[in-house]
Structures are given as C-alpha cells and as structure tokens.
Amino acid sequence: MSKYYLFQDTRTCIGCHACEIQCKSNKNLPRGAKPCQIIQVGPKMINGLPKMSFIFMPCYHCEDPWCVSTCPTGAMQKRSSDGIVFVDKELCVGCKTCISACPWGAPQWNPETGKVEKCDYCKDRLDAGLKPACVTLCTTGCLTFGLAEDMTQTRRVRHAEASASFENSSF
Amino acid sequence: MDKEVFSLCFMCSVRCPIKVKVKDGHVDWIEGNPHVAGIDGSLCPRGSAGISMLYDDQRVQSPLIRVGERGSGNWRKASWEEAIDYVADRLKDIKDKTGAHSIALCERAQLATHVSKAFLKALGSPNYFSHDALCKGSVNTACRSLFGYTDAEVGIHYGETKHIVLYGRNIFESLAVKEVKTLMAALEKGARLTYIDPRVTVTASKAHRYWMIRPGTDLALNYALIHVILKERLYDAGFVSKWVHGVNELRDFVEHYTPEWAEKETGIPAGEIIALAREISKDRPSVIFHYGYRGASHQNEIYMRRSILMLNALMGSVEAKGGIFFKKGPGEAGGKAARKLVSQEFPKIDMPRFDKAGTKDFPLPDPNHGVAQVFPYAVLNEDPYPIKALIAYRMDPLMSIADTAQTKKALDKLDLIVTIDINYSDIAWYSDVILPESTYLERTDCIQQMNGLKPQMFLRKKAVEPRYDTLEGAIILKRIGEKLGIGHYFPYETMEDLVNWQLEGTGFTQTDFEKKGFVAYGSDQIFWDRENLPFKTPSKKIEFKSSLLENAGFESFPEYQPVKAPEDNDRFRLVVGRSAIHTHVSTQNVPYLNELESENKLWINTKKAGQLGIKNNALVEVASSCGKGRIKAFVTDFIHPEAVFMLHGFGHEAGRAKRSFNKGLSDALIQENVYDKIGGSPAYHDTFVSVKPL
Ligand code: SF4
Ligand code: SF4
Ligand code: SF4
C-alpha cells in the first residue's frame, strides 16, 4: 500500500467526470485510456427518494500489487520511497499482462502508443509539491489526498459530523 | 518559455476565472483561479477539456468561403483580407439597396457584445438579437414586472440559504462551478433541497424532497403553495405589507387553487404541498425559490416565473442573506465601470426591430436582447420588412431556435450568411463565409464587469498565440467596419488597446489584473437596507399587481389553464435539458467530451415503453408536427409517463466536425416554434411527439 490515500466524499460528488478529463488531459491521453473513472450506480429509490452513487475508481496502489508481480519486463513498479505503483513507459512492451492481473481494472490501454497507462497519483505533481490533477480540479472539491493516516482522520470527522444528531442529544 | 496567466474560461458562458500554465508556447495546464473564493482551483468537465478543444484540429482553421451549395460543405480557403472584403462588399451592397435594417446580427452574448452592438448601431440597424431570450426571455420580463430590474440584475445567495426549491433547475448537471460549490457547501451545513422535475436527475438524487411533477404543471403547484402560505399566514407579514403591491388581489385570486385542486393537476399529494409551505416558511427569509432556466417552459411561462418570484417575496427572501439579492455595480462601491463601445454617439435609427420587441405589437420582451425565435417568421413573412443578411456570432440559430426546417427555409431567403465561431457549428456549415475566431486561450478579451454583492472586474488574457489563422471577434468586426466606413467607432488596433480604452477612468490598469486575475471595487458584501429598497417599478414596490403587464393590456392574474395530457398512448410531451458534459450545442465535438458522451438518447418511462414494444437502447422514431428523427431509447422508471426527454445539442450536421456529425438527434428539429407571446421565451416544452419502435 502506498503511504497515500485518495478519499472521495461520495455525498458531495456529482458524477460530473471532470476528474476523468483532468487526469487524461494532464497525461495527454488519447481516446480510450482512463486512469480513473467514475462509475454511476443507480438511481434507486431509497426511503422514497431517488439516490445515485458515483464511485471514483483510480488505482488503489496495493501493498502487494498483482500488476507489478506479473509484469515480465519490470515496467510496472512500486516506488520505494512512498509505495506509488507506476509504469515505466520505456520498459513497457504492451503485453497487457497487468491488465489481466489487476482485479480492479486500473491499468489502461493506450491505443496510440501501444503501452499501458495507469494512475500514478500524479507523482510528478506530488514531487513538485502539488496535489494530484483530479484532486486539484474536482468540481465540488469532493476528492482529498494525503497520507493514509491523516485521511482516516478526515473520514472519521466527516462521519461523526454526518451522524451527530443534536436534536436527540442528551447534552 | 514558461508562464502563468490568469484568464477566464469560455467552454461555457459562465466564464469561470482560471489560471493557465504555458510551457514552450503550449497550454500545459488549466485550473480554476485559486484566488477566487468559491472556485478554489476547481473546473467543471467542460472547463477541464479546454486543452482538448484548443489542440483539436477539427475546429475552423482559416477563413472559408463557400463554393458549392449552401450546406454542401464545399469551401475554399481565403485570406483574412479576401474574406473581410467579400463580407464587407456584400454588406455594403445590401445596405445600399435595402437599407441597413435588412442586416441582422445574432449572438450568444459574451465579453465583446458591446462591440457587436456598436457594429450594428454604427451601421444603422436595430436588429441585434442574442440567445438570451431563448434561455430566459420570460424570466427577464417577469423580473422587470415585479421588481423593475432585469433577471441579470438579480442574484442568488446560495451560500447561506437554508432551503432551496429548484424547478427543473438541474443545478448539479447544468454546471457553473461557483454555484455548485457554494450550494454544496450550504447543503453540507444543513440546508434543505427540494427538487421538482418530471425526470430524475443528479440534482434529484441530492435532494431531501423530490417530486416527479406532471410535466407542465409547475404553475398549478405554485398557486397552491401560495394559497397555503396566504391562508395559514406563513408569509413575512412585515416585509409583505411594506414592499408588496397587490397581495390582496393575489389572495382573492388563489382562493380556489387549493392543494387538493393542485394534486389533481400535478400529481403531487395535497398533504405534501402543505408540508412544504409550512416547512420552508420556518426558514424564511433565508430561502430560495429558484426562478431561472428550465422548469416548465410553456406559452404562459411569464406567469410561472412570476409565481416563483412571488413566493420569494412572500418569504421576505428578497435582498436577504440566503435568499435572492440585487446585484451591485461599481457605483455602489464608489467606483466606475469599464467603458463600452456602445456608450458612443450613434446615428439615430428609425426602423423598428424585426421582432417588434418593445413596440405595441410585442411590448414586454427586452429589446436589448430581442426575441430570437421570431427571426424565422420575420424573414419568411417579410414582416415588418425583408431581411437580407445574418451575421451569426457564436450562436447557432439552426440548433437553438425550434423547428430547424422552418429556420432553414428562412435562411434560404437571405442573400448573405456569415458565421463567426471557433467551431464548425451547423450554422457555420450553412453559411456563405466562416470567419474563425481565436479560442479563449488564444485571445485577450474585453473586460468582464462582475456585478454582485462585491462588484469586481475580470480580464481574459491571451495565454498562447493562435494555433490557426484566426482572429479575435472584436478585431474581425472592426475590420469589416473599416471597409464599411464606420471604422472610427472602433478606436483600437489590438485587444490590448481596446482593454486600455475600456479601463480609462476606472482607476485600474491592465497591470492590476496580473496579480490575481481580477480587481475588486471594495471588500465587503453590499446588501441594501431592507427598510429602503429601491425597486424600480412605478409603485416603487414589488408589483404582484403589475403595471408593466396591465399597461400593456395583459392581466396580472389570469385564470389557470389546465395542462393538456398527451392524447394517445404513443404521444408524449417532449422535455429537454442538459448534462454535465456538454455546453448547449457547442462542445459535442471536443475530443474528451465527445468520448464521454457522443450522442443523446430518448428517456421513456418503462411501462410506456413496454406497451409500445420499445426496448432499451433500440432505435425509435420521434415525430412532431414539424419534424422527425431517429434516436436510441433509454427505458427507465425515472421519468414521468407523460414525458419523454432528450439532451439538447446533438444531431450535428456539419461534416467536418467528424466526431459529432450525425450523432444523436437534434431537439430543435422536432420542437415546434411556439412561444410565450407576453414574456418572450420559446415554449420548448409545448411540443407533443409520437414515439414508435423501428
Ligand atoms: S470531478 Fe469530483 S464531483 Fe465530479 S465526478 Fe469527479 S470526483 Fe465527482
Ligand atoms: S491521482 Fe493523478 S493519475 Fe491518479 S486518477 Fe487522479 S489524476 Fe489520474
Ligand atoms: S462552468 Fe465550466 S465551462 Fe463554464 S466557465 Fe466554468 S469551468 Fe468553464
């Protein structure tokens, strides 16, 4: 697992796909390759209201990545400093083994170069002290990026705030 | 060389502030301007596709002159010199023969609008019209009838609202970044959202209350809400007695519009209507009934918009935090606005407008914008006089005015059609000459005056040199003007000169914009004193009983006319709208946007589809009295059985825009050109269509 975590607040996500476009634009990718994607689930009626979910699917930067261990050329790698899983284009021969291996569909095919693209948490931006493209530009600001330990904090606070009920509180 | 430029997005007309990074003369990165509160770096999907648009080689790359039949797509490349001469010669000819008024210019209003208006004024033609009436003509008229201000002078204070009611205003798919972010933040703070639409949208999925209203009946719902609010005295009595003119007349009028009556018309249970009235009044005045765009768009739209605005007035939410407010200009903060070319002296024009807006035949629509959908009628009937030329600047009458076949017929009568655009739009394709404009990333533009609670000015600044042989719109018009002997109305050589001319006397210079991309006239939000509200109506009050309407011979409170249901089982009311991915008719060919959404589909209710034998994703034929076409069906429970829905802006006919060519169906092709004869909006939802499987 990389030491980072990319948190999506699904309550404020509007499924607009700006993140997908930003990611592609930042990496200058052709039609087809989508290092991250928003998958819409629903609408479904829940307690009399129509609800939709938009699930943000980048790469999860696994601790023991299937893609890295199967890549025959060593193109797919895990960065030692922070655990980011990325593909070295120079070494990629386009054999697609990683595409078959990843359970989440993260590695993507670039039909123009005949090589694989994937979410690398925008490591060039991180190294320049910036946030990933999708996080910087998300329309509603529902994506946050940081160290995994800080992100769990965000999530807890978020959940506590959502579930606190002052009306029924004994205080 | 690397640089960073503050500018303004123009993937849609909202014009969000942006920061552009340029590397080796190429745009490398665009983000929302981080200095602007409520933007903080964000961009919507269309704004995110700015680079994809810029480097697309399917935009217009040089001036083009038609060689084949109109619409045949046979063009020859021309130099700017030649193209400008060609247009100017023909305009001169037309002006000499039939008078300047036979030249019209239509436009999707933008920063250089004062240039196009000045161009026509200098030429001596009254016939400027914009896309505005198509979008919100009746909203404009309704605002003037109640407040004496246009809709453009009214704003919505999302950030501090406690309850917002949206009538088909699909705010989380028809995106303006700041609006989305501020409203989302208010919802996170506990604001309530009520959403009313015959179709479930993303906005519906974020709502606390959603009503699948019977299409077309928003007005009935509002009359019932008003009925409950007045009967149960849920309104802001202090505000209403001080500022409302005609509340007693309204009370008498809504007497018989009970929630039970509305339930039959709208399909919304009476108890729920009463519950909303009671609930929302607890949060007044920080509540919003959203008056703008979409919602039922019918021939009596003026009254629907008025009813929404009246609900705000009853809640006292006018000029209130978390309600609606009047936009403040630089004068309110002791400053001066940028100059506009239209402030010059022009020769007087005696001819009436082609649409007669502002005359006794069509008194109420705003002549500053005109009434676009009247254009085909005016041309075809030569009423009030023959029109010979149309300059279409960034607006596409073929795809945005209902009944494309009729619009085409009208265009066929013209001697000259010129398009100024960045894209191969359908109107460009149907033109005699295309004059390609540089994109927003390749041009400096006129000053953006941003009135609001804090008046500001923004500047669009060129980030990179034009990639193709294109020019700025304000330069194109100036150059045509020079050939026509009206060059002296355009006192600039470059856009920089024009901006400097505009800024003269404001106390600001272009350098002031370099730090953050904008300048502010003051630092505090300006709300007017609610004891002294400067309404500009004759009574100086909010006129429920409207002198604007009544002096023009219209009623303030006409009886409600029941909304027709489709007559046969295969007939539906056609409803249209937007998605987050595209801007009206202009972005369907942008590579990244096209990849995400390349065609539209026809939403149809599952039960109805079952009865008609229509399968999900199968082709169907949609036909109205004026046109028909094919489109794939999207079968869903989440649309009212009386309605079918399609996204606006697909079904393009321009062959060189290859990705969007012939993909999906154009709504304008099957919408009938009918409109609100009082307020001025097209009645986009007054077309019934039949749908059959293929
Ligand atoms: S940009 Fe943000 S709001 Fe839009 S789909 Fe992506 S995560 Fe959701
Ligand atoms: S972190 Fe970077 S690479 Fe990964 S999905 Fe976001 S934009 Fe794409
Ligand atoms: S809403 Fe989107 S497309 Fe429109 S100006 Fe803003 S960022 Fe650009």
Side-chain angles (χ1 to χ4, degrees):
Chain A
M1 188 72 192
S2 85
K3 64 181 192 182
Y4 302 115
Y5 184 66
L6 202 165
F7 169 64
Q8 179 208 15
D9 180 354
T10 47
R11 207 164 71 181
T12 51
C13 175
I14 53 173
C16 68
H17 303 270
C19 45
E20 274 177 58
I21 297 174
Q22 277 305 338
C23 177
K24 292 189 64 146
S25 189
N26 185 46
K27 291 185 161 19
N28 195 16
L29 297 180
R31 218 177 169 97
K34 294 181 178 175
C36 69
Q37 195 175 353
I38 289 283
I39 304 289
Q40 177 179 331
V41 186
K44 278 200 174 101
M45 292 305 282
I46 307 288
N47 300 327
L49 283 172
K51 291 290 167 199
M52 300 181 198
S53 260
F54 302 102
I55 309 299
F56 178 73
M57 304 203 44
C59 160
Y60 299 119
H61 301 271
C62 315
E63 177 61 30
D64 196 358
W66 284 267
C67 57
V68 172
S69 52
T70 55
C71 175
T73 67
M76 195 63 85
Q77 307 168 26
K78 199 169 136 183
R79 191 153 92 155
S80 55
S81 56
D82 52 15
I84 287 179
V85 179
F86 70 103
V87 57
D88 180 340
K89 304 272 172 49
E90 298 288 304
L91 299 175
C92 177
V93 293
C95 69
K96 309 186 192 76
T97 316
C98 55
I99 296 185
S100 325
C102 172
W104 332 113
Q108 296 279 305
W109 185 244
N110 182 334
E112 276 184 9
T113 59
K115 292 174 193 256
V116 157
E117 305 283 349
K118 75 175 283 298
C119 165
D120 58 0
Y121 274 164
C122 295
K123 62 182 171 48
D124 296 347
R125 287 181 58 82
L126 295 187
D127 295 345
L130 302 164
K131 298 275 184 205
C134 55
V135 173
T136 312
L137 290 128
C138 162
T139 307
T140 65
C142 77
L143 298 177
T144 26
F145 183 82
L147 296 171
E149 59 261 37
D150 298 341
M151 286 295 111
T152 54
Q153 192 61 28
T154 311
R155 203 160 206 171
R156 273 188 174 154
V157 171
R158 180 78 179 66
H159 185 72
E161 281 173 358
S163 55
S165 162
F166 293 107
E167 285 80 8
N168 304 322
S169 161
S170 46
F171 297 103
Chain B
M1 207 198 61
D2 298 357
K3 61 172 180 180
E4 283 186 1
V5 184
F6 290 108
S7 191
L8 292 171
C9 180
F10 207 28
M11 292 300 286
C12 86
S13 295
V14 173
R15 300 187 282 257
C16 293
I18 52 174
K19 187 166 98 176
V20 184
K21 288 191 191 167
V22 179
K23 222 173 160 176
D24 306 324
H26 272 67
V27 175
D28 189 53
W29 172 261
I30 309 172
E31 65 182 34
N33 183 336
H35 299 298
V36 178
I39 295 284
D40 309 307
S42 292
L43 281 183
C44 86
R46 298 152 305 151
S48 305
I51 299 177
S52 176
M53 179 277 300
L54 176 63
Y55 295 111
D56 177 16
D57 55 11
Q58 290 182 23
R59 355 186 222 112
V60 189
Q61 301 189 3
S62 75
L64 295 172
I65 297 176
R66 175 171 70 82
V67 286
E69 288 284 291
R70 265 196 193 146
S72 66
N74 291 326
W75 303 99
R76 71 179 166 86
K77 254 187 172 175
S79 67
W80 275 102
E81 193 58 36
E82 187 193 359
I84 299 267
D85 277 344
Y86 184 100
V87 171
D89 286 351
R90 276 155 188 78
L91 287 176
K92 187 169 179 308
D93 223 39
I94 290 168
K95 184 180 171 193
D96 291 346
K97 277 202 196 116
T98 40
H101 59 274
S102 48
I103 300 168
L105 185 148
C106 70
E107 166 180 78
R108 218 171 251 272
Q110 35 107 27
L111 294 175
T113 285
H114 68 116
V115 181
S116 3
K117 285 189 169 177
F119 178 84
L120 273 196
K121 280 179 194 282
L123 210 59
S125 169
N127 289 327
Y128 170 90
F129 63 105
S130 74
H131 166 84
D132 274 58
L134 298 176
C135 183
K136 55 198 182 62
S138 299
V139 181
N140 179 332
T141 309
C143 282
R144 281 182 287 124
S145 79
L146 284 154
F147 307 131
Y149 292 93
T150 68
D151 62 308
E153 295 169 298
V154 184
I156 295 181
H157 198 223
Y158 296 103
E160 292 185 45
T161 197
K162 294 188 181 139
H163 195 146
I164 182 166
V165 181
L166 302 170
Y167 301 80
R169 171 72 185 98
N170 186 7
I171 211 160
F172 293 136
E173 283 187 273
S174 189
L175 303 176
V177 172
K178 201 172 188 172
E179 191 175 73
V180 167
K181 287 190 93 159
T182 355
L183 179 59
M184 196 57 96
L187 295 178
E188 287 292 286
K189 279 194 298 183
R192 308 263 307 161
L193 168 59
T194 293
Y195 187 72
I196 302 156
D197 194 325
R199 176 180 77 108
V200 169
T201 62
V202 172
T203 311
S205 80
K206 300 288 181 195
H208 302 92
R209 175 188 280 105
Y210 166 68
W211 287 335
M212 186 181 279
I213 193 168
R214 187 163 85 83
T217 63
D218 300 19
L219 182 58
L221 166 67
N222 283 351
Y223 284 162
L225 282 169
I226 293 173
H227 174 102
V228 179
I229 287 166
L230 290 174
K231 187 167 138 203
E232 300 191 5
R233 302 190 66 81
L234 300 171
Y235 55 93
D236 183 335
F239 184 86
V240 168
S241 70
K242 185 161 178 67
W243 291 119
V244 171
H245 173 67
V247 73
N248 291 329
E249 287 85 343
L250 179 68
R251 184 179 280 116
D252 292 347
F253 171 69
V254 296
E255 179 69 44
H256 58 292
Y257 298 126
T258 61
E260 293 70 25
W261 165 84
E263 173 172 341
K264 287 199 206 95
E265 182 71 1
T266 63
I268 302 166
E272 289 190 34
I273 298 175
I274 297 171
L276 172 62
R278 288 179 185 160
E279 182 189 311
I280 199 161
S281 64
K282 291 203 186 101
D283 282 325
R284 68 175 157 76
S286 296
V287 301
I288 297 159
F289 289 86
H290 200 300
Y291 49 84
Y293 325 123
R294 294 284 76 84
S297 178
H298 299 285
Q299 287 166 75
N300 62 351
E301 181 172 339
I302 174 84
Y303 294 106
M304 202 274 276
R305 300 297 168 195
R306 274 174 55 81
S307 69
I308 300 177
L309 292 164
M310 285 181 203
L311 282 162
N312 284 295
L314 291 170
M315 291 293 113
S317 69
V318 179
E319 198 64 14
K321 289 205 166 153
I324 66 178
F325 62 85
F326 296 97
K327 293 185 183 168
K328 316 300 180 306
E332 306 259 349
K336 266 184 79 179
R339 286 203 287 176
K340 292 186 170 176
L341 291 181
V342 281
S343 61
Q344 303 171 96
E345 288 280 333
F346 295 95
K348 203 170 153 339
I349 299 172
D350 292 323
M351 294 304 267
R353 296 179 50 85
F354 75 88
D355 51 24
K356 304 180 191 165
T359 71
K360 68 176 189 338
D361 290 322
F362 203 11
L364 300 189
D366 190 342
N368 282 318
H369 299 292
V371 187
Q373 72 273 14
V374 173
F375 188 73
Y377 292 112
V379 175
L380 287 168
N381 303 329
E382 305 193 349
D383 174 20
Y385 42 68
I387 292 174
K388 297 288 177 196
L390 176 68
I391 302 173
Y393 186 177
R394 222 178 73 80
M395 173 178 163
D396 190 342
L398 285 171
M399 291 192 85
S400 38
I401 297 177
D403 195 349
T404 306
Q406 174 178 265
T407 308
K408 257 191 196 161
K409 236 194 256 162
L411 293 180
D412 289 343
K413 286 192 67 173
L414 301 180
D415 295 340
L416 179 69
I417 308 172
V418 180
T419 292
I420 304 175
D421 204 334
I422 62 168
N423 292 316
Y424 283 106
S425 59
D426 281 19
I427 184 67
W429 202 243
Y430 213 69
S431 294
D432 305 320
V433 184
I434 312 178
L435 303 175
E437 196 182 19
S438 305
T439 67
Y440 68 98
L441 295 162
E442 303 165 313
R443 71 176 194 252
T444 293
D445 221 323
C446 299
I447 292 287
Q448 154 126 318
Q449 198 79 46
M450 276 278 278
N451 294 346
L453 290 172
K454 286 188 207 168
Q456 295 167 324
M457 275 192 282
F458 285 79
L459 183 61
R460 171 174 297 136
K461 216 159 161 56
K462 181 200 272 191
V464 288
E465 289 305 316
R467 196 164 170 239
Y468 303 120
D469 191 12
T470 59
L471 285 175
E472 304 90 338
I475 301 289
I476 299 175
L477 288 172
K478 170 195 160 66
R479 287 181 58 178
I480 301 174
E482 280 168 351
K483 303 275 175 184
L484 292 169
I486 51 173
H488 54 285
Y489 289 102
F490 307 93
Y492 53 90
E493 290 304 320
T494 63
M495 290 310 292
E496 282 64 34
D497 296 346
L498 177 51
V499 173
N500 288 336
W501 180 89
Q502 286 198 278
L503 286 175
E504 254 171 51
T506 62
F508 295 105
T509 65
Q510 284 205 52
T511 330
D512 297 322
F513 291 82
E514 274 165 20
K515 220 162 118 208
K516 293 181 171 177
F518 66 96
V519 297
Y521 289 92
S523 52
D524 298 325
Q525 289 192 342
I526 308 169
F527 275 99
W528 285 329
D529 171 11
R530 283 179 29 121
E531 293 301 308
N532 291 299
L533 293 173
F535 293 113
K536 291 206 283 198
T537 50
S539 64
K540 306 271 179 262
K541 293 192 174 191
I542 301 174
E543 294 196 348
F544 285 10
K545 186 172 155 41
S546 162
S547 39
L548 188 78
L549 285 172
E550 293 184 5
N551 291 342
F554 304 112
E555 291 175 77
S556 295
F557 308 108
E559 275 303 309
Y560 181 83
Q561 300 298 321
V563 169
K564 274 200 299 188
E567 279 159 14
D568 297 306
N569 199 38
D570 68 340
R571 304 222 5 120
F572 302 86
R573 187 179 287 280
L574 176 64
V575 176
V576 299
R578 307 260 315 266
S579 84
I581 311 292
H582 288 293
T583 300
H584 300 290
V585 303
S586 65
T587 57
Q588 283 72 21
N589 201 51
V590 173
Y592 282 164
L593 300 176
N594 182 276
E595 179 182 6
L596 274 165
E597 193 169 54
S598 60
E599 64 182 314
N600 57 353
K601 292 189 176 171
L602 188 79
W603 290 47
I604 182 166
N605 181 274
T606 313
K607 261 206 200 109
K608 287 288 214 170
Q611 288 164 10
L612 297 171
I614 291 169
K615 300 251 160 20
N616 193 34
N617 251 336
L619 270 182
V620 294
E621 184 184 89
V622 190
S624 72
S625 70
C626 65
K628 63 178 178 189
R630 294 169 166 213
I631 183 170
K632 283 184 194 149
F634 173 59
V635 176
T636 170
D637 292 338
F638 294 93
I639 184 164
H640 194 284
E642 282 185 20
V644 287
F645 167 89
M646 67 169 82
L647 287 174
H648 172 56
F650 289 84
H652 287 259
E653 290 183 350
R656 287 195 191 171
K658 294 195 186 109
R659 301 174 204 97
S660 61
F661 174 68
N662 213 8
K663 292 276 166 55
L665 179 60
S666 165
D667 52 358
L669 203 70
I670 41 181
Q671 284 168 328
E672 293 155 14
N673 187 343
V674 286
Y675 54 98
D676 173 356
K677 297 259 161 65
I678 305 175
S681 275
Y684 281 132
H685 296 164
D686 264 348
T687 298
F688 286 100
V689 295
S690 55
V691 180
K692 61 171 193 231
L694 278 170

